[in-house]
Amino acid sequence: SWTWSNVPYLSDRATCNWNNEVPWDNEYALGVFCVDDSSVDRILMKQVGLAGTIPWEMSLLSNLAYLQWDTNSIVGTLPTEFGRLSALTVLWLPSNNLTSP
């Protein structure tokens, strides 16, 4: 498992519990949040040291509505597969090193 700021990412806990147990709408919320404890709909990973490119596999999260990965070290471009994310209403990626295709 991997823990950052007391958030048990990639742990044996259910994916919907990979968060710091703060309500998603609180400014201190971090982690993965789900609707109905079964489907990922929010990922809040602000200022956690994420580095690298955004994996296209994120586009497989069909109920993802909110993605906040600001102030990390994300590089490259947004995967074209993100066009499949019909539920996505908020994509917040400022203060990274993204480029346009």
Side-chain angles (χ1 to χ4, degrees):
S1 82
W2 174 63
T3 300
W4 187 89
S5 189
N6 297 320
V7 179
Y9 302 110
L10 307 176
S11 70
D12 59 354
R13 292 171 64 180
T15 305
C16 294
N17 293 322
W18 291 353
N19 59 62
N20 62 351
E21 298 180 0
V22 173
W24 70 262
D25 56 351
N26 183 294
E27 67 178 298
Y28 298 107
L30 288 173
V32 177
F33 297 85
C34 298
V35 62
D36 301 325
D37 291 328
S38 63
S39 181
V40 174
D41 75 327
R42 295 174 190 276
I43 302 177
L44 310 174
M45 307 274 281
K46 50 192 178 247
Q47 300 177 9
V48 296
L50 291 176
T53 59
I54 299 173
W56 72 267
E57 291 88 351
M58 296 282 299
S59 68
L60 300 175
L61 298 171
S62 59
N63 290 316
L64 185 64
Y66 194 104
L67 180 61
Q68 182 180 7
W69 283 1
D70 60 301
T71 318
N72 284 291
S73 297
I74 300 169
V75 298
T77 60
L78 195 63
T80 57
E81 293 87 355
F82 265 45
R84 299 179 193 156
L85 293 171
S86 60
L88 190 65
T89 57
V90 174
L91 179 63
W92 189 245
L93 304 169
S95 299
N96 282 288
N97 295 309
L98 294 169
T99 56
S100 46

